Amino acid sequence: MAQITPDMTIGQALMANPNIAPVLMQIGMHCLGCPASQGETLEEAAMVHGVDIHELMEHIEAACAAKAE
């Protein structure tokens, strides 16, 4: 699977690994399929939701690693 980076849109990240959806929903990103997610990066979404992007990326990487095993 492709590496997920903070500059990817939510839509791109979900296409790269749909298993990150629960991580995003846990921090309040409930509109994963809405049109805004197609243009909003993970970094922008984290900022809007008051989440540290580095912390979010750690959770995303852990979710990706857990599903890869």
Side-chain angles (χ1 to χ4, degrees):
M1 298 217 169
Q3 181 178 355
I4 297 173
T5 60
D7 62 339
M8 293 176 97
T9 65
I10 295 169
Q12 289 171 327
L14 287 168
M15 284 178 48
N17 191 332
N19 296 320
I20 69 165
V23 173
L24 299 177
M25 293 190 75
Q26 274 185 313
I27 65 164
M29 295 182 194
H30 299 285
C31 188
L32 300 179
C34 69
S37 72
Q38 299 306 310
E40 187 173 52
T41 66
L42 289 171
E43 190 166 25
E44 292 167 339
M47 185 174 54
V48 167
H49 291 278
V51 175
D52 178 76
I53 187 59
H54 302 292
E55 191 174 314
L56 175 60
M57 294 309 297
E58 287 176 11
H59 290 291
I60 287 173
E61 289 168 14
C64 291
K67 294 294 180 179
E69 294 177 352

